[in-house]
Amino acid sequence: MTTIAILDYGMGNRRSVEKALERVGARARITRQPDDVRAADGLIVPGVGAFPEAMRRLRDGGLDALIRERVEAGGPVLGICLGMQLLFERSVEHEGAEGLGLFGGEVTRLRTEGLRLPHIGWNLVRFQRPSPLAAGLPDACAFYHVHSFAARPTDDGDRLGVADYGETFASVVVRDPLFGVQFHPEKSSAHGLRLLENFAAICARVAA
């Protein structure tokens, strides 16, 4: 059975991600122990809250280096919501902070053209090209978003899926073995479960 570590740094709905992974047949482990993370077939970085505080917690626990280590070793890593934003170089949220720098680009406030922030609810995501992460999903399907900031990749090739809320923003980013989704797949019904199942399948293939 595929084992996926869910990084426990105190920010993010870890239990709901764990239950969603179990529903798609993966073994999930919420952990901050380096040996557990290294032994897992894949890693999920969840996240709810503010970017600077999240990065402080990752650095204080040495978890930022652990995430980079897993990516450099070719292990699949998926960032969810704030966890996706942390994969970028920096954010302007609050006082601003440096991110993990695994994707080029920064995180800035959504330009909503007067629409309410935070952006909360179901939003259609349009996939730009085929990807194992999107296998079996429609070219456009809805996922549940909760955010006020959006990542702006410097490399257009990193964008896999986009959505619109006042502006068009990157909702799914991919650069194997690194993946990120701005939405919450664990709250996104059948399509969200399929995406997590796809990530588990990617982890299984890499492990094999």
Side-chain angles (χ1 to χ4, degrees):
M1 182 183 291
T2 304
T3 301
I4 298 176
I6 301 167
L7 197 62
D8 184 7
Y9 64 104
M11 297 179 72
N13 47 340
R14 302 173 295 282
R15 293 295 177 192
S16 55
V17 175
E18 178 187 39
K19 292 183 183 302
L21 286 169
E22 290 171 349
R23 283 190 63 186
V24 301
R27 180 187 293 115
R29 182 162 194 175
I30 300 171
T31 183
R32 60 184 293 115
Q33 298 303 317
D35 288 347
D36 292 341
V37 172
R38 293 184 182 112
D41 300 313
L43 173 64
I44 287 181
V45 182
V48 174
F51 189 110
E53 174 64 12
M55 282 305 306
R56 184 188 67 77
R57 292 188 185 203
L58 289 177
R59 284 192 299 269
D60 287 353
L63 302 176
D64 56 338
L66 186 60
I67 296 168
R68 292 189 184 98
E69 176 189 320
R70 292 299 297 140
V71 173
E72 289 168 4
V77 174
L78 171 65
I80 293 177
C81 195
L82 174 62
M84 167 182 150
Q85 296 177 7
L86 298 174
L87 302 176
F88 284 81
E89 293 176 287
R90 68 190 69 83
S91 174
V92 302
E93 187 173 4
H94 294 331
E95 70 273 21
E98 297 298 306
L100 293 167
L102 297 168
F103 284 109
E106 68 176 356
V107 177
T108 66
R109 186 172 290 272
L110 268 171
R111 297 187 289 265
T112 63
E113 304 299 330
L115 297 175
R116 180 180 301 177
L117 279 178
H119 167 215
I120 300 176
W122 294 87
N123 200 314
L124 200 67
V125 174
R126 305 184 305 281
F127 291 104
Q128 308 291 286
R129 62 183 185 276
S131 167
L133 189 68
L137 290 169
D139 290 342
C141 53
F143 295 95
Y144 191 79
H145 292 72
V146 183
H147 63 120
S148 297
F149 291 79
R152 307 191 185 279
T154 53
D155 186 343
D156 285 342
D158 290 339
R159 292 182 180 86
L160 176 64
V162 297
D164 297 304
Y165 190 73
E167 64 167 322
T168 299
F169 64 89
S171 187
V172 187
V173 291
V174 172
R175 185 191 294 163
D176 290 339
L178 191 60
F179 306 85
V181 294
Q182 181 58 70
F183 50 81
H184 287 276
E186 76 281 4
K187 296 181 178 180
S188 296
S189 192
H191 288 151
L193 289 176
R194 180 56 192 260
L195 186 138
L196 289 174
E197 184 178 4
N198 290 342
F199 178 69
I202 292 167
C203 295
R205 286 197 293 272
V206 171

